[in-house]
Amino acid sequence: MSLVIDDRSQWICQWRGPMLRFACLHLSPREEAEDAVQDALIALLEIDFDKLQAVDPKRYLFGILKHKITDRLRKRYSGEVSYCEAFSDDLDVYLFNERSHWIEGVAPAGWHRPDERLQTDQFFAVVDLCVHNLPTKPAQVFSMKEFLECDADEICTTLGLSKTDYWQCMSRARKQIQLCLSQKWFGGASQ
């Protein structure tokens, strides 16, 4: 029986921090994010350990956490709220010229064989940093879409967004993450 506890303890020690960072992106105050993580870890302890032998711990734990976060968000948001989080400057002005071409010096550098780099922990740490540097609403929308694998309708319902707000958030988030990755991971634009 101690082997079961030890293995689960390792999972908890290894993944609790990343799970909490992820939950904090979607839930505030921090205590609510901690509660969601705790609920996910309790669910882990309630599962027969023999069933866990063949699963990927990260995928399994984040899968549970996804459902705990989504349940909490559904309870929290119940009405249509328009996207009012204003950006101080329109990002497109800084990235594209009047003909919608990249402005020289800010275009993303070529991403040579990104499939090789995607497998590294360092890359995902930079992605995590880029997502956490987004404004709150685009970060939530992007994270729900890409990390929690929610569809657009579910995200709009959960966060009380219109489809237009959803697509605006996704567009801005993708542009900012691409720019961030170009600067912090792929070596920046041509210098």
Side-chain angles (χ1 to χ4, degrees), residues 9-75:
S9 295
Q10 285 180 331
W11 285 20
I12 292 168
C13 290
Q14 181 179 3
W15 295 107
R16 185 182 184 289
M19 289 171 70
L20 183 57
R21 282 194 309 277
F22 182 75
C24 284
L25 180 63
H26 297 283
L27 300 170
S28 61
R30 182 182 173 92
E31 291 79 17
E32 188 171 358
E34 290 174 348
D35 288 346
V37 171
Q38 286 303 106
D39 290 347
L41 295 176
I42 288 170
L44 168 70
L45 296 174
E46 293 173 349
I47 301 294
D48 179 22
F49 191 73
D50 292 334
K51 295 179 181 178
L52 299 175
Q53 295 296 325
V55 301
D56 174 31
K58 179 180 180 181
R59 184 178 202 96
Y60 185 79
L61 289 170
F62 276 85
I64 295 172
L65 182 59
K66 168 192 168 183
H67 294 291
K68 300 299 181 184
I69 290 170
T70 304
D71 290 344
R72 288 174 181 273
L73 289 173
R74 280 189 191 117
K75 289 177 188 174

Side-chain angles (χ1 to χ4, degrees), residues 57-120:
K58 179 180 180 181
R59 184 178 202 96
Y60 185 79
L61 289 170
F62 276 85
I64 295 172
L65 182 59
K66 168 192 168 183
H67 294 291
K68 300 299 181 184
I69 290 170
T70 304
D71 290 344
R72 288 174 181 273
L73 289 173
R74 280 189 191 117
K75 289 177 188 174
R76 179 186 298 174
Y77 299 106
S78 60
E80 179 85 11
V81 177
S82 67
Y83 177 67
C84 62
E85 186 172 15
F87 289 89
S88 58
D89 297 309
D90 188 7
L91 187 61
D92 289 348
V93 172
Y94 295 102
L95 298 177
F96 304 104
N97 64 22
E98 62 280 348
R99 293 175 43 206
S100 297
H101 294 270
W102 284 100
I103 293 175
E104 189 173 332
V106 297
W111 294 5
H112 303 286
R113 300 190 47 106
D115 54 326
E116 292 175 359
R117 293 186 178 188
L118 288 175
Q119 301 304 316
T120 65

Side-chain angles (χ1 to χ4, degrees), residues 97-150:
N97 64 22
E98 62 280 348
R99 293 175 43 206
S100 297
H101 294 270
W102 284 100
I103 293 175
E104 189 173 332
V106 297
W111 294 5
H112 303 286
R113 300 190 47 106
D115 54 326
E116 292 175 359
R117 293 186 178 188
L118 288 175
Q119 301 304 316
T120 65
D121 290 339
Q122 295 87 3
F123 176 79
F124 288 110
V126 173
V127 170
D128 187 48
L129 172 77
C130 292
V131 171
H132 279 82
N133 284 331
L134 291 172
T136 304
K137 189 64 69 175
Q140 288 176 325
V141 170
F142 180 83
S143 183
M144 286 181 75
K145 175 67 175 162
E146 301 301 332
F147 301 141
L148 298 179
E149 300 174 355
C150 298

Side-chain angles (χ1 to χ4, degrees), residues 160-171:
L161 298 174
S162 68
K163 287 284 190 164
T164 302
D165 292 337
Y166 165 80
W167 288 113
Q168 183 181 32
C169 286
M170 283 300 293
S171 175

Side-chain angles (χ1 to χ4, degrees), residues 169-185:
C169 286
M170 283 300 293
S171 175
R172 290 180 183 269
R174 286 177 176 149
K175 287 176 190 173
Q176 288 177 316
I177 290 170
Q178 182 180 21
L179 188 61
C180 178
L181 287 174
S182 292
Q183 293 171 349
K184 299 188 183 314
W185 182 258

